[in-house]
Amino acid sequence: MTSKKYVVEPLDTHKHDRATFSCGVATLDAYLKTQANQEGKKKIAVTYVLVEQDTAAIIGYYTVSAASIETIRLPEELARRLLRYNALPAMLIGRLAVDQHYRGQRFGELLLVNALKRCSNISQEIGAMAVLVDAKDEGAVQFYERYGFRRFIDRPMSLYMPMEEIRQLT
């Protein structure tokens, strides 16, 4: 990255240029262009965008929403330390994408770290024991694993990180 000033802020369809965003994954591009604003209004997921300060071009984005995780999906060593509920509260990073023009500049890492800090802060207010992600492909799985996420045995494209570990990182 250069010395330019970057900010992560909530998507504002009047301020941010969604039309030119292209990460190379059609579903992620379409989501930002056609669904993100509607889901934000309906309180389904909130989209945060990374932009160079005072510009409209979106470098990347992620979404955050509340989620739950079935306790039986967690590894036994983690589940036995938790209360015996059928499901536990979590946060979901539903989508994370970087425009193709900005690849290789660690903007994906910047977005992920920002999302994890946001989830950690929110969990102090509402309670959440983990952050979940659903990877689109094996490359995305490897990206999340580099930062400490672990796969669920029954769904290898879904990963989690306990909130206690996130707090130690952020």
Side-chain angles (χ1 to χ4, degrees):
M1 282 187 270
T2 66
S3 61
K4 296 177 182 176
K5 176 76 172 165
Y6 299 99
V7 294
V8 177
E9 57 193 17
L11 174 65
D12 180 339
T13 57
H14 301 292
K15 178 180 176 183
H16 301 119
D17 178 15
R18 298 174 294 160
T20 60
F21 183 86
S22 177
C23 70
V25 178
T27 55
L28 293 173
D29 292 342
Y31 177 84
L32 181 64
K33 294 172 184 177
T34 64
Q35 280 181 264
N37 190 47
Q38 294 173 2
E39 287 195 3
K41 287 179 181 176
K42 294 176 182 176
K43 304 301 181 202
I44 295 170
V46 177
T47 301
Y48 292 90
V49 295
L50 171 64
V51 296
E52 188 177 335
Q53 192 166 1
D54 301 323
T55 66
I58 297 172
I59 296 168
Y61 78 95
Y62 67 84
T63 64
V64 178
S65 60
S68 65
I69 181 171
E70 294 174 319
T71 309
I72 60 171
R73 294 187 62 215
L74 294 170
E76 181 58 34
E77 66 272 7
L78 179 59
R80 81 175 92 127
R81 291 186 282 142
L82 302 169
L83 299 173
R84 296 295 177 182
Y85 293 108
N86 290 335
L88 296 165
M91 304 287 305
L92 173 67
I93 300 172
R95 291 165 182 82
L96 189 150
V98 174
D99 188 284
Q100 293 178 89
H101 294 100
Y102 298 96
R103 290 243 173 90
Q105 299 178 54
R106 301 187 74 171
F107 288 117
E109 177 181 16
L110 189 151
L111 285 163
L112 180 60
V113 169
N114 186 275
L116 292 174
K117 285 181 181 179
R118 188 173 311 279
C119 289
S120 178
N121 291 339
I122 292 169
S123 76
Q124 299 294 323
E125 300 291 326
I126 66 166
M129 59 77 53
V131 171
L132 312 175
V133 295
D134 289 319
K136 298 292 182 204
D137 56 34
E138 189 60 33
V141 168
Q142 292 173 9
F143 169 78
Y144 289 116
E145 286 179 329
R146 278 196 306 273
Y147 295 98
F149 280 84
R150 296 187 276 293
R151 298 181 196 220
F152 287 106
I153 294 170
D154 61 333
R155 291 180 52 206
M157 299 300 277
S158 293
L159 300 93
Y160 72 95
M161 182 184 289
M163 197 63 71
E164 62 189 43
E165 291 178 19
I166 293 168
R167 285 192 189 100
Q168 292 172 3
L169 294 174
T170 60

